[in-house]
Amino acid sequence: MKTAISLPDSVFEEAEALAQQLGLSRSELYARALQAYLKRYNRNQMLLRLNQVYSQESSDLDSVMAKMQFTSLPHEDW
């Protein structure tokens, strides 16, 4: 999909230099950068949600379950 965006001149110039250095087109550089940002943003959103859950719920290990898991380790195929 084609789109038009406005960038500060300094950001555009740095991006142009980086694209040339990496041997990428401008479009490929921007697509990769946006993909990396979205991945990090989604990861941060997940972390925020997990922190909300664990701020309300205990994250202590169940002692019976922990013992069962520990004793089953020698029988696991890794």
Side-chain angles (χ1 to χ4, degrees):
M1 169 180 280
K2 277 194 160 196
T3 187
I5 60 171
S6 298
L7 300 170
D9 289 344
S10 60
V11 173
F12 176 80
E13 290 165 7
E14 283 188 65
E16 286 292 295
L18 182 58
Q20 187 174 25
Q21 179 184 350
L22 297 175
L24 300 173
S25 69
R26 184 184 310 143
S27 292
E28 182 66 20
L29 176 71
Y30 292 171
R32 287 185 183 190
L34 187 53
Q35 286 170 340
Y37 179 84
L38 292 170
K39 185 176 182 180
R40 186 177 69 210
Y41 178 80
N42 288 335
R43 203 178 354 230
N44 288 342
Q45 291 301 307
M46 181 61 70
L47 180 59
L48 287 173
R49 289 185 201 129
L50 286 171
N51 285 339
Q52 287 173 344
V53 168
Y54 284 113
S55 71
Q56 299 168 3
E57 299 290 331
S58 172
S59 61
D60 293 337
L61 292 176
D62 179 280
S63 60
V64 174
M65 183 63 77
K67 184 176 180 180
M68 289 171 56
Q69 290 173 332
F70 182 72
T71 57
S72 72
L73 284 176
H75 308 292
E76 295 291 330
D77 292 332
W78 292 83

